[in-house]
Amino acid sequence: MTYSEGMLRDDAMKGKNIIVTGGGTGLGRAMSTYFLQLGAQVLITSRREEVLKESAAEMEKESGGKVFYFACDVRDYEQVENMVKYAEEQMGQIHGLLNNAAGNFISPTERLSNRAFDTIVDIVLKGTYNCTLAVGKNWIEKKQQGVFLNIVTTYAWTGSGYVVPSAAAKAGVLAITRSLAVEWAKYGIRSNAIAPGPFPTEGAWSRLLPGELVKKFDPAKKVPVGRVGVHQELANLAAYMMSDFSAYVNGDVITIDGGEWLKGAGEFNNLEMVTEDMWDMMEGMRKKK
Ligand code: HXC
Ligand code: NAP
């Protein structure tokens, strides 16, 4: 068995109806496809209807499951409410919301316009609280239990230069995750997050590491396990977090990054550049003393 295989048993999400924002591309699509393989119904939503339509058809073919789609800009609360209403009409009771939609670009912060800052914060933070509020109010009113799963990044807690709007917004999403884990637990609503390290997707790679940048800043080189993530590994974790198997996990953020952020955090971690000969020499000097 390997990490690129599905992990949970076939019926692990049978009867679950899940909304996935940004579910037509990249990681959202990979997680949605695995939910479908495990027996869930999924509604994918994002701005581009053509992308959703094409992805939904392909995902149904790949998984044998049922996929609904609804075009919606998560920045607009009215559109979000309509999306949730449609999801319920088509699938019935909603059991989970995966807040995965995001926007990001790399830039020195002083080069960003205030509108550029707004664009990212609005998609990531406002989009997440819009969807969370619309679905959460619905669950509470109808006395239904549910699960929120939010995709953040490891720089949600460290911060990071050159992606400041994204870092600020993801930190806000993490705060929402932890706050509601406590406040809404009394309604049977759990709230967790996943912080992925580098997982190649068209969306992230083309915007964050365009052209030659990807060769210069090879993300795999920053990861202690020596590779980037495979989509199925993230899908396995997301399915567990969305399923009833994780019923006692609430308010946590699970990092899946091969140790990447800790490598950057440990003050002496770059001593991996010291060769065995150099260590021998230093040991010799110490013993002589
Ligand atoms: C600086 C930029 C910019 C850039 C746009 N803007 N691109 N500023 N650098 N590269 C500015 C524009 O000039 C404009 O400001 C404002 O931002 C809005 O631009 P629009 O193009 O009108 O925005 P919109 O059409 O809403 O597009 C949103 C987007 C786009 C974020 C710009 O990239 C997008 O749709 N992204 C979604 C997918 C994505 O980004 N996926 C990556 C997620 S990866 P002015 O002032 O000119 O009006 C991730 C974590 C990665 O989040 C971690 C990796 C390890
Ligand atoms: P992606 O394919 O570009 O996904 C972003 C999705 O968000 C797209 O489907 C996009 O669809 C949707 N979206 C953007 N703006 C929207 C809006 N206003 N309303 C509704 N939907 C919107 O990138 P990805 O790499 O899979 O990223 C998925 C998630 O993983 C993001 O939360 C990202 O921050 C996180 N992440 C990724 C990595 C990585 O290495 N890939 C690492 C850490 C975290 P439309 O354009 O059709 O709207």
Side-chain angles (χ1 to χ4, degrees):
M1 259 174 241
T2 77
Y3 53 79
S4 56
E5 288 173 28
M7 180 181 84
L8 295 182
R9 64 190 210 197
D10 289 347
D11 62 350
M13 292 183 75
K14 193 160 180 237
K16 300 282 184 205
N17 299 321
I18 313 291
I19 296 174
V20 181
T21 69
T25 67
L27 302 183
R29 177 171 166 163
M31 291 185 278
S32 299
T33 303
Y34 191 44
F35 296 169
L36 290 160
Q37 285 165 357
L38 295 174
Q41 294 193 104
V42 174
L43 178 130
I44 55 173
T45 184
S46 75
R47 294 164 301 178
R48 292 169 298 163
E49 186 152 11
E50 272 313 301
V51 173
L52 293 171
K53 189 178 173 186
E54 205 181 311
S55 297
E58 288 168 7
M59 288 158 74
E60 284 192 344
K61 236 191 218 164
E62 281 164 36
S63 66
K66 181 70 195 149
V67 187
F68 301 89
Y69 64 89
F70 191 91
C72 158
D73 188 328
V74 293
R75 292 172 284 192
D76 181 331
Y77 192 70
E78 210 181 314
Q79 289 186 40
V80 169
E81 280 189 314
N82 290 337
M83 179 272 290
V84 175
K85 195 165 160 257
Y86 180 80
E88 216 176 22
E89 280 165 10
Q90 298 300 314
M91 302 195 291
Q93 178 182 342
I94 308 302
H95 301 97
L97 168 67
L98 175 53
N99 280 306
N100 163 80
N104 200 359
F105 35 67
I106 283 194
S107 171
T109 308
E110 68 277 16
R111 287 178 178 240
L112 293 176
S113 69
N114 65 310
R115 279 189 301 273
F117 221 108
D118 284 346
T119 300
I120 302 306
V121 174
D122 284 354
I123 299 171
V124 176
L125 181 55
K126 191 174 184 182
T128 299
Y129 69 66
N130 277 347
C131 295
T132 302
L133 204 57
V135 171
K137 278 171 183 273
N138 183 302
W139 282 339
I140 292 165
E141 193 193 310
K142 294 181 174 154
K143 298 193 167 38
Q144 289 170 357
Q145 304 193 343
V147 180
F148 292 120
L149 183 58
N150 301 325
I151 304 300
V152 295
T153 56
T154 55
Y155 56 66
W157 55 89
T158 63
S160 173
Y162 304 95
V163 284
V164 171
S166 171
K170 294 286 192 184
V173 172
L174 188 51
I176 291 174
T177 309
R178 288 174 168 151
S179 305
L180 289 182
V182 176
E183 189 183 334
W184 283 357
K186 59 178 177 282
Y187 300 120
I189 298 172
R190 290 191 293 126
S191 195
N192 288 297
I194 294 177
F199 280 79
T201 62
E202 163 68 24
W205 257 229
S206 63
R207 287 180 181 89
L208 296 179
L209 297 167
E212 289 298 299
L213 270 186
V214 75
K215 284 183 209 144
K216 201 157 185 192
F217 299 102
D218 178 3
K221 290 198 181 123
K222 290 171 57 211
V223 182
V225 302
R227 63 173 177 86
V228 292
V230 171
H231 290 193
Q232 185 62 45
E233 301 178 89
L234 178 67
N236 284 338
L237 176 58
Y240 165 70
M241 298 298 280
M242 211 32 118
S243 76
D244 295 336
F245 290 118
S246 61
Y248 204 49
V249 183
N250 186 29
D252 210 353
V253 53
I254 311 229
T255 302
I256 176 163
D257 75 339
E260 186 202 32
W261 87 268
L262 279 168
K263 182 174 176 177
E267 190 163 20
F268 289 96
N269 281 346
N270 62 359
L271 289 191
E272 68 188 3
M273 288 183 295
V274 175
T275 61
E276 284 302 313
D277 285 351
M278 286 158 87
W279 286 119
D280 286 346
M281 191 182 76
M282 282 189 275
E283 193 178 336
M285 281 160 62
R286 178 171 58 81
K287 282 184 178 158
K288 248 190 229 163
K289 268 193 203 158

